[in-house]
Amino acid sequence: MASEKERATPSRKSKASKSKDSILKQKSPAEFFSENKNIAGFDNPGKSLYTTVRELVENALDSAESIAKLPVIEVTIEEISKSKFNSMIGLLDRERLDEELYGDYETEKAREKRLAKEAREQEKQAKAAAAGKKVKDSNAVKLGKGRGEALFYKVTCKDNGRGMPNDDIPNMLGRVLSGTKYGLKQTRGKFGLGAKMALIWSKMSTGLPIDIWSATRGQSFISYCRLDINIHKNVPNVHIHEKRSNEEGWHGAEIQVTIEGNWTTYRSKIINYMRQMAVITPYAQFLFRFVAATPDKNISIRFARRTNVMPPAPAETKYHPSAVDLLLIKRLIAETLKQNLLQFLQHEFTSISKFYAERLIGEMGPEFTPKMPVKSLTAQQLVRIHQLFRQAKFGEPTGECLSPAGEYNLRLGIMKELHPDMVATYQGSVQVFEGHPFLVEAGLSLGGRDVKPGLNIFRFANRIPLLFEQGGDVVTRTATKRINWNSYKINQVQDKIGVFVSIVSTKIPFKGTGKEYIGDDIKEIASAVKSAIQQCCIQLKSKIVRQQQAHDRQQRKRNLSKYIPDVSRAIYGVLMEMADGQKSKKVKYDDDADDLLKKVALHQITESTFIQKLGQHVEQVDAEMALEYATQSGMVDTAREPIYLRTLESDYKFALELHNPVCVMKLFSDF
Amino acid sequence: MNVPFTHFYGSCLALAFAGYKDGILVDKQEEFQVLALHHPLGFSCRVSILLLMADKRKRATAENDSDEDDNGEQPMEAPRKQAQAALAFRKRLKPDNAILATVRKIADSAKSYKPQTQSLADLNLPNACKEVVDLSCASVMAEIEKTIINIARSILGGNGFGYSVPSRSSANQLYVQELDRIVLKDKASFRPFANMASVRKTTITTRILQLVHQLCKKQIHVTKRDLFYTDVKLFQEQGQSDSVLDDVSCMLGCTRSSLNVVASEKGVVVGRLVFVEDGDRIDCTKMGVGGKAIPPNIDKVKDMESDALFILLVEKDAAFMRLAEDRFYNRFPCVIITAKGQPDVATRLFLKKMKTDLKLPVLGLVDSDPYGLKILSVYMSGSKNMSYDSSNLTTPDIKWLGVRPSDLNKYKIPEQCRLPMTDQDIKTGKDLLEEDFIKKDPNWHKELEVMVKTKEKAEIQALSSFGFQYLSEVYLPMKLQERDWI
């Protein structure tokens, strides 16, 4: 990303130099992002609010996980009315003097129109009410917000993570593109902008600084810092930086930022995000609160912790030779501590052993030797190395550096948030695209609370939910187009299907400017996603079939009995005709038939005889089938699910043992 | 031309009037047969009404055609060139007499040709096959009664019951090269009553057996739709009663016509053919432009006579109408027959009867697309659904006259009349290439390959781009003159 930005900045410079002749302007990274804020997901106030929340939450998770602490995260969004905002920035509320000056001034004509319309509405409603229909509460006529009527929110995110060292706080938050996450590993962040972009946005929309409270573990004080950013210089501008007492021994960070946003339009997105985050991170506890200007719109959602098992933190890894470009090789050479070429190749890349490095150097040409100092390589020689990296064959990178959520966690997450009737999970093996290892996990749920009928797709990349631009995503396309749900006895339209796919990699091949979806063009990923979903389907199919069987078993007798009268009537009808024919001596039948027909003629055998006999037969068959079913699958009607009981401490006294075929129960004696 | 038209309108009105007066409201096709049997005016009136309907349809298609032509905005040059091309072919036409001479030759050779009288039994095939025969009403009744008695006994014995039904799935079908038709192998499945999967079919089968028993006893015929309506509640959809009906005829070992259940009439015939239907003498040259509806009950068709030289089998109504209106059969003595798409049993039986009784060559005129070929294959080798009765239904040795894929270039059909084949078409075409009945004739195979390769199809109507009467006045005579069939 850093290189991309470097490239982007000069191009803007040249443009500027053309239009403004000789005035050469330098643009800081912070300036670049403030002008292109849509790249980082700050397209509009609503999206900005959403992105701010997610950046803060993801930072908090990373921070807690980095010290192997179960995350506890509190997010609060507080709505700030205009007058409150004005008082915050020390601006007096002014009465409107010249009403006609404002954009939302209602002219006489418009007013008449509106009143007429409202009268019509009311009439309609009165009619509807008279007709006994439910009256929709459309009275809340939305008064169009005029221009400049911005909405402000104070977003606070508090975690129990690593915290920031006192002296680093200004630089960690006040300088764009300075970060701790630039190594090669599986990370949650997308650009390494995180909270900094939120800071730029607050600077742009409200001009208010951000507040940070932070303490590292075992630190006796809390650092408090209030700062904003000097966008032109890309340096922090510290207002207050002081130490406060830390009596509770808290560690972690709390960041508070006041920004312009739009809660109404992005409410569902933000809540969805929190919910999906809870699915993929069941070991974290989230508390999400929205404090509205009017208390009746307050929201408070608690996503409880469901497990204590946390995936290991992703390990930093080295680059795979087929995944590097020329610039990256130069950077690695500049950073390396190794002296000669052989050591450089052996230690700075994965999948190159010493023996292999020697072979590679031999292949490079006569001017290369294993002992040559790596920093002295010429530009041409680098190109040669790069070419060889492209052409040579290397072992595939291992996936040891990856940290998937794990089937266990994914399953718990799905169960905890959706409460489905059935769930299946599957973790694929590590695979590789373009030298980057990746791993696909999938979960599939059927039924559940608040789940719409049809496919509900939940996408995760490096354990963060993806909510936007679902249409082009590899998971959506695979689930809707390439899976034949019918063959797994799943009805794509009626069943409540939840598809959860989590992809983790050292490099997620995002598409689109906002990095909101994973392209469908990498066939390794597409096929891994497909097979992971299919594996889940196979697991569910057997369960569904067994449920179906159990259901059929209950229905069998009823369904079979339904047809008995039709059949009996038809058979008896033919027999009657035959008996009539026999009476009039028109036709002769053989002896056995003759006997039967006589009984029919004498009404010894009637329609009800057949009904009775068939009914008995159906009963008998049903009983046989039920017995067969029971011997096959035990007496349970639904698919078996294991349950887990916690063991008790040993200091209880038991009185009685109650025996039954399933288990033994003991009663406590001293309660 | 004009005289029959007014005459027909007159009689149609008369019938409509009579119908209303008698309180018989005629709006469904399957009611016609009953009307023909019982109405005092007899069935000549019925034909008129059908004609009226056919006429309406015809007009609609004609109007559509002309609309399309008007809308086609082409440069002025193109139509002129086409006209020239068409003219070029017209010039090459010899006088009718000369053409007739060539056709007569082929007709004579067809007369002397002895049809192979091989039957399944002669072949000693490795797997046993199931074939059905025509049975009289009494024998059908006897079969049904035997079945019912067995069932009744089984039920009274407390064992429930079920039917052993021959499987009509494609796995149980066999194409026999020597006979050039599909036959049914002897695999059968048992459908017990006390089973969730088969209880419905078994119940429907029992009910159909009872209904057919009644029909045979009273010796009357009904249509499949009539049968369905006798117990809509049980049958639910006509598809269900229809498919069980086929199962029943398979099970009893008789043809479907022996069950006294017929499909509503669909096919039409016109031309130099005279036959007797239920005692009425019918002259198919005097049937106007709509033709004579092919009777669903082939048993009542007798004494076929004809001075035709060939039978022209047409896929579609529109082409049939063109040929009938132009009185093509008077210029070149022939019988023209169509089933309006996929052929029904009655049309196939009728064609088979014409072919065996009159010994005429059969020329097929179908669309140049995979479905045209499929339709030809049904006439020739039978459909998979009715393979148990293929011996009665198939007419081997139909010549593919047109429109063949190679004709598109040969007759310079303009680009705008050719359609690109859809993916489905191409798939059907490729599947057909693997079918035995195409493979056995290298010429047919070659033509189909051309179609799949060029990915172009065209309908018979594409020939209308040279004028509506191009089909009857140039294309067909040219084909006959060149003996251009395979």
Side-chain angles (χ1 to χ4, degrees):
Chain A
M1 195 51 229
S3 58
E4 192 177 297
K5 200 205 55 45
E6 274 163 26
R7 265 180 264 127
T9 321
S11 80
R12 294 191 62 85
K13 249 189 301 181
S14 64
K15 226 184 220 173
S17 64
K18 258 180 213 166
S19 56
K20 287 186 180 176
D21 285 324
S22 56
I23 310 162
L24 234 170
K25 270 195 167 178
Q26 199 75 26
K27 203 156 269 187
S28 79
E31 260 180 317
F32 173 76
F33 278 105
S34 68
E35 281 168 25
N36 297 287
K37 53 188 180 352
N38 62 314
I39 291 180
F42 286 78
D43 313 31
N44 54 51
K47 186 106 183 264
S48 299
L49 181 64
Y50 163 78
T51 310
T52 304
V53 169
R54 71 177 281 179
E55 292 289 4
L56 293 177
V57 168
E58 283 155 24
N59 273 350
L61 278 175
D62 280 339
S63 169
E65 280 173 29
S66 69
I67 55 168
K69 188 99 178 141
L70 292 169
V72 178
I73 291 162
E74 285 174 37
V75 183
T76 311
I77 301 177
E78 193 182 335
E79 196 173 43
I80 296 172
S81 66
K82 198 183 160 209
S83 58
K84 197 173 167 197
F85 175 72
N86 280 349
S87 72
M88 273 168 75
I89 59 171
L91 188 74
L92 283 179
D93 270 344
R94 299 267 179 206
E95 291 287 319
R96 286 182 181 186
L97 297 175
D98 186 357
E99 281 287 350
E100 287 180 35
L101 188 69
Y102 295 92
D104 56 356
Y105 174 72
E106 200 174 28
T107 60
E108 199 59 34
K109 252 188 181 169
R111 191 183 146 83
E112 269 170 32
K113 239 183 179 171
R114 179 172 62 88
L115 287 177
K117 196 180 168 189
E118 277 173 14
R120 268 205 306 278
E121 277 299 311
Q122 269 183 352
E123 208 172 303
K124 230 190 226 170
Q125 277 193 3
K127 260 187 201 166
K133 283 178 198 158
K134 266 189 196 167
V135 182
K136 272 188 220 154
D137 202 19
S138 64
N139 249 353
V141 180
K142 279 167 200 150
L143 290 165
K145 279 186 236 74
R147 279 176 301 136
E149 191 77 33
L151 295 160
F152 299 100
Y153 300 89
K154 192 199 279 178
V155 183
T156 314
C157 177
K158 185 177 180 182
D159 65 50
N160 60 342
R162 179 193 288 273
M164 289 171 275
N166 185 44
D167 298 339
D168 289 348
I169 294 173
N171 270 332
M172 283 177 92
L173 287 159
R175 198 189 288 271
V176 171
L177 298 174
S178 69
T180 48
K181 293 186 194 167
Y182 285 122
L184 182 71
K185 66 173 178 182
Q186 173 195 331
T187 52
R188 283 206 173 88
K190 293 199 288 191
F191 292 98
L193 290 174
K196 281 150 277 188
M197 198 56 217
L199 178 53
I200 295 177
W201 173 243
S202 79
K203 176 99 182 162
M204 288 174 79
S205 57
T206 65
L208 287 171
I210 64 168
D211 299 289
I212 302 122
W213 293 264
S214 167
T216 55
R217 262 200 290 196
Q219 193 172 286
S220 59
F221 59 88
I222 294 175
S223 321
Y224 169 72
C225 189
R226 167 173 283 193
L227 58 83
D228 67 355
I229 185 169
N230 184 329
I231 290 185
H232 301 289
K233 291 187 185 147
N234 190 22
V235 291
N237 178 13
V238 180
H239 297 219
I240 308 171
H241 194 177
E242 60 187 28
K243 292 176 181 175
R244 293 179 178 178
S245 69
N246 184 10
E247 278 156 17
E248 288 166 19
W250 171 71
H251 63 90
E254 179 174 356
I255 296 177
Q256 191 173 73
V257 49
T258 311
I259 55 166
E260 184 187 339
N262 190 337
W263 170 254
T264 14
T265 49
Y266 272 73
R267 187 186 59 201
S268 66
K269 286 283 182 196
I270 292 173
I271 291 174
N272 259 340
Y273 170 79
M274 293 304 297
R275 189 178 178 205
Q276 294 193 19
M277 197 49 132
V279 168
I280 198 77
T281 337
Y283 51 88
Q285 175 179 315
F286 297 96
L287 180 64
F288 177 80
R289 268 188 316 208
F290 175 74
V291 183
T294 47
D296 58 320
K297 284 185 184 153
N298 281 0
I299 295 176
S300 176
I301 311 172
R302 205 181 128 89
F303 300 93
R305 177 177 297 141
R306 178 69 177 73
T307 164
N308 294 333
V309 180
M310 212 159 59
E316 193 146 343
T317 183
K318 286 171 274 185
Y319 284 93
H320 189 267
S322 56
V324 294
D325 57 28
L326 213 46
L327 268 173
L328 200 57
I329 297 175
K330 276 185 190 159
R331 208 186 84 202
L332 290 173
I333 287 175
E335 287 170 0
T336 187
L337 301 171
K338 305 292 169 201
Q339 294 302 315
N340 62 42
L341 183 58
L342 181 74
Q343 285 173 329
F344 173 71
L345 292 180
Q346 188 189 339
H347 293 291
E348 295 295 331
F349 297 95
T350 57
S351 311
I352 302 184
S353 64
K354 190 178 178 195
F355 168 70
Y356 210 76
E358 278 165 359
R359 273 180 71 187
L360 283 171
I361 294 168
E363 186 65 26
M364 282 173 195
E367 74 268 34
F368 292 90
T369 57
K371 293 279 176 226
M372 68 194 293
V374 68
K375 311 253 183 196
S376 72
L377 289 168
T378 64
Q380 287 84 351
Q381 284 171 325
L382 288 182
V383 172
R384 173 65 192 139
I385 293 176
H386 182 226
Q387 281 175 351
L388 194 64
F389 277 1
R390 278 290 155 89
Q391 292 156 2
K393 189 172 67 190
F394 297 96
E396 301 207 315
T398 61
E400 281 161 13
C401 55
L402 297 178
S403 167
E407 272 192 67
Y408 177 77
N409 275 347
L410 187 61
R411 172 184 285 263
L412 286 180
I414 295 170
M415 280 165 43
K416 143 174 122 84
E417 290 306 321
L418 277 83
H419 300 276
D421 304 332
M422 275 184 227
V423 61
T425 50
Y426 176 78
Q427 186 179 62
S429 56
V430 174
Q431 295 187 49
V432 175
F433 76 96
E434 293 164 13
H436 307 286
F438 74 95
L439 195 149
V440 175
E441 296 168 285
L444 192 64
S445 71
L446 279 184
R449 260 190 347 211
D450 310 331
V451 186
K452 283 186 213 123
L455 284 173
N456 296 271
I457 291 165
F458 301 84
R459 302 170 290 144
F460 304 96
N462 279 354
R463 294 202 265 132
I464 55 172
L466 301 180
L467 267 73
F468 293 91
E469 299 189 56
Q470 168 153 305
D473 191 272
V474 59
V475 175
T476 317
R477 287 183 172 231
T478 306
T480 52
K481 303 227 168 79
R482 296 180 204 128
I483 303 279
N484 183 6
W485 297 99
N486 275 338
S487 63
Y488 303 104
K489 314 266 182 211
I490 297 172
N491 185 327
Q492 199 182 340
V493 185
Q494 285 171 1
D495 289 341
K496 298 171 168 181
I497 313 167
V499 180
F500 304 79
V501 177
S502 159
I503 302 173
V504 293
S505 172
T506 50
K507 181 177 166 64
I508 298 278
F510 283 114
K511 279 284 168 79
T513 49
K515 290 200 167 185
E516 293 292 0
Y517 70 99
I518 300 170
D520 197 15
D521 49 356
I522 295 168
K523 66 173 187 301
E524 290 92 342
I525 293 189
S527 69
V529 168
K530 185 177 172 191
S531 89
I533 299 178
Q534 278 175 334
Q535 288 296 328
C536 294
C537 289
I538 291 169
Q539 289 176 35
L540 278 193
K541 186 183 175 184
S542 60
K543 287 190 189 179
I544 296 171
V545 167
R546 286 177 71 173
Q547 270 203 344
Q548 192 74 44
Q549 279 176 349
H551 181 76
D552 282 354
R553 203 181 66 76
Q554 284 162 358
Q555 298 285 311
R556 190 193 307 128
K557 206 166 113 184
R558 211 165 58 93
N559 274 344
L560 292 181
S561 307
K562 199 167 73 185
Y563 290 103
I564 291 177
D566 275 316
V567 162
S568 307
R569 197 178 315 125
I571 294 173
Y572 185 66
V574 176
L575 290 177
M576 280 292 278
E577 298 258 353
M578 288 167 75
D580 284 353
Q582 197 190 28
K583 239 189 228 164
S584 49
K585 305 282 180 212
K586 270 185 205 157
V587 211
K588 286 274 175 202
Y589 297 100
D590 58 39
D591 290 346
D592 281 352
D594 206 45
D595 201 36
L596 186 69
L597 292 176
K598 265 182 194 146
K599 282 183 182 164
V600 172
L602 294 170
H603 298 289
Q604 282 171 353
I605 292 174
T606 60
E607 199 177 313
S608 57
T609 322
F610 287 106
I611 292 179
Q612 189 199 341
K613 284 282 181 186
L614 272 176
Q616 280 168 5
H617 178 66
V618 166
E619 290 259 357
Q620 186 197 338
V621 170
D622 186 56
E624 279 168 18
M625 301 267 282
L627 193 69
E628 196 181 324
Y629 180 82
T631 49
Q632 265 177 13
S633 57
M635 291 305 287
V636 267
D637 276 351
T638 49
R640 273 193 229 185
E641 292 267 5
I643 57 165
Y644 298 102
L645 298 176
R646 223 168 47 169
T647 48
L648 291 167
E649 287 111 76
S650 52
D651 51 344
Y652 285 102
K653 283 191 180 133
F654 302 105
L656 269 181
E657 284 190 359
L658 298 176
H659 288 263
N660 81 17
V662 182
C663 61
V664 178
M665 281 185 262
K666 290 178 175 181
L667 294 186
F668 296 127
S669 66
D670 49 356
F671 255 116
Chain B
M1 273 294 300
N2 290 332
V3 179
F5 248 108
T6 43
H7 172 73
F8 279 125
Y9 275 120
S11 51
C12 289
L13 283 173
L15 180 83
F17 183 64
Y20 277 117
K21 205 176 74 181
D22 294 355
I24 314 162
L25 211 123
V26 187
D27 59 352
K28 283 188 204 137
Q29 255 195 353
E30 57 269 31
E31 303 285 355
F32 279 132
Q33 195 191 354
V34 182
L35 188 71
L37 291 171
H38 303 299
H39 199 278
L41 287 175
F43 76 88
S44 59
C45 292
R46 169 173 71 99
V47 173
S48 315
I49 268 235
L50 280 179
L51 272 175
L52 180 67
M53 292 163 74
D55 205 22
K56 267 188 192 159
R57 214 175 303 142
K58 223 158 49 185
R59 284 191 173 190
T61 48
E63 272 163 22
N64 285 342
D65 285 350
S66 65
D67 277 356
E68 275 163 28
D69 268 27
D70 290 343
N71 291 340
E73 282 177 302
Q74 335 161 324
M76 287 301 286
E77 278 305 302
R80 205 173 297 156
K81 265 188 198 158
Q82 277 171 32
Q84 279 168 0
L87 210 65
F89 281 109
R90 198 183 290 262
K91 272 183 191 154
R92 272 166 49 195
L93 273 181
K94 291 178 193 159
D96 286 359
N97 285 341
I99 301 174
L100 275 177
T102 55
V103 177
R104 193 156 284 133
K105 254 184 245 163
I106 192 91
D108 289 343
S109 68
K111 283 242 164 65
S112 58
Y113 164 79
K114 282 249 171 193
Q116 285 185 325
T117 46
Q118 261 184 327
S119 74
L120 262 179
D122 306 333
L123 281 172
N124 280 328
L125 289 177
N127 15 20
C129 293
K130 176 96 185 164
E131 280 212 299
V132 298
V133 286
D134 265 320
L135 290 180
S136 68
C137 279
S139 352
V140 173
M141 273 174 76
E143 282 290 333
I144 293 175
E145 284 165 359
K146 208 166 80 191
T147 316
I148 292 286
I149 291 280
N150 282 337
I151 288 171
R153 246 196 242 121
S154 170
I155 294 173
L156 294 176
N159 299 320
F161 74 102
Y163 300 100
S164 175
V165 183
S167 157
R168 289 185 292 121
S169 69
S170 49
N172 201 29
Q173 315 271 355
L174 182 73
Y175 173 82
V176 181
Q177 182 89 52
E178 292 87 341
L179 303 173
D180 188 18
R181 58 181 165 90
I182 305 171
V183 296
L184 196 65
K185 291 192 272 187
D186 67 339
K187 209 176 89 190
S189 58
F190 187 69
R191 291 185 188 161
F193 176 77
N195 182 314
M196 287 288 284
S198 53
V199 61
R200 255 194 78 72
K201 284 219 159 163
T202 307
T203 310
I204 295 175
T205 310
T206 316
R207 184 81 175 114
I208 298 256
L209 279 175
Q210 188 203 1
L211 291 172
V212 170
H213 186 259
Q214 282 175 9
L215 289 179
C216 289
K217 195 172 183 194
K218 293 187 181 136
Q219 305 217 345
I220 53 168
H221 290 80
V222 297
T223 63
K224 283 157 117 187
R225 188 125 188 105
D226 269 331
L227 193 73
F228 164 66
Y229 273 121
T230 46
D231 200 342
V232 193
K233 208 178 153 201
L234 175 63
F235 299 152
Q236 289 177 358
E237 295 161 29
Q238 199 188 333
Q240 296 192 19
S241 60
D242 286 0
S243 100
V244 168
L245 192 69
D246 282 329
D247 286 339
V248 164
S249 59
C250 231
M251 204 169 79
L252 300 179
C254 61
T255 60
R256 202 176 69 198
S257 343
S258 331
L259 299 180
N260 283 12
V261 181
V262 295
S264 53
E265 50 202 37
K266 191 171 156 214
V268 197
V269 62
V270 78
R272 309 280 267 253
L273 176 71
V274 177
F275 63 92
V276 175
E277 182 190 352
D278 210 11
D280 294 344
R281 193 183 135 86
I282 300 192
D283 183 351
C284 291
T285 53
K286 299 191 168 53
M287 285 295 150
V289 290
K292 160 85 177 87
I294 292 172
N297 205 343
I298 199 76
D299 307 341
K300 302 203 167 148
V301 174
K302 285 189 192 83
D303 305 328
M304 280 189 171
E305 291 166 34
S306 172
D307 64 343
L309 294 177
F310 59 94
I311 299 167
L312 187 59
L313 178 67
V314 183
E315 176 182 343
K316 283 191 177 165
D317 208 13
F320 176 87
M321 198 273 303
R322 170 70 16 244
L323 294 172
E325 197 180 63
D326 290 350
R327 307 280 167 166
F328 184 75
Y329 50 85
N330 284 341
R331 188 170 163 201
F332 302 100
C334 65
V335 182
I336 306 169
I337 181 169
T338 181
K340 302 173 186 168
Q342 277 289 357
D344 56 336
V345 171
T347 312
R348 281 153 68 187
L349 283 171
F350 195 83
L351 181 68
K352 165 99 176 168
K353 193 171 172 63
M354 274 206 292
K355 169 91 179 157
T356 40
D357 287 9
L358 304 173
K359 296 199 172 54
L360 292 174
V362 183
L363 304 177
L365 179 63
V366 294
D367 285 348
S368 171
D369 60 20
Y371 306 102
L373 265 184
K374 273 213 148 155
I375 285 169
L376 275 189
S377 88
V378 171
Y379 278 113
M380 291 172 71
S381 325
S383 65
K384 286 186 174 158
N385 199 29
M386 301 280 289
S387 57
Y388 58 89
D389 195 14
S390 61
S391 62
N392 292 317
L393 294 173
T394 54
T395 314
D397 196 31
I398 295 177
K399 300 290 182 204
W400 188 8
L401 183 74
V403 177
R404 296 203 307 270
S406 62
D407 286 356
L408 299 187
N409 288 331
K410 200 163 161 190
Y411 290 88
K412 300 200 171 51
I413 308 261
E415 282 299 322
Q416 66 264 30
C417 300
R418 307 180 191 189
L419 293 168
M421 283 165 80
T422 63
D423 293 345
Q424 185 62 42
D425 291 341
I426 293 169
K427 194 181 165 292
T428 317
K430 283 188 177 152
D431 290 350
L432 269 181
L433 276 174
E434 301 301 317
E435 296 264 350
D436 297 322
F437 108 95
I438 296 280
K439 273 196 194 153
K440 70 161 204 281
D441 192 332
N443 285 328
W444 285 45
H445 198 260
K446 221 182 283 164
E447 287 283 357
L448 187 59
E449 273 181 335
V450 170
M451 185 195 303
V452 173
K453 217 158 109 196
T454 56
K455 295 194 170 64
E456 275 181 340
K457 61 178 180 181
E459 303 192 1
I460 305 173
Q461 275 68 46
L463 297 166
S464 305
S465 55
F466 301 118
F468 288 116
Q469 292 180 311
Y470 184 80
L471 173 68
S472 54
E473 288 183 355
V474 182
Y475 180 76
L476 285 178
M478 198 68 202
K479 281 266 176 187
L480 294 176
Q481 176 184 318
E482 304 282 321
R483 304 178 62 172
D484 185 11
W485 53 72
I486 54 176

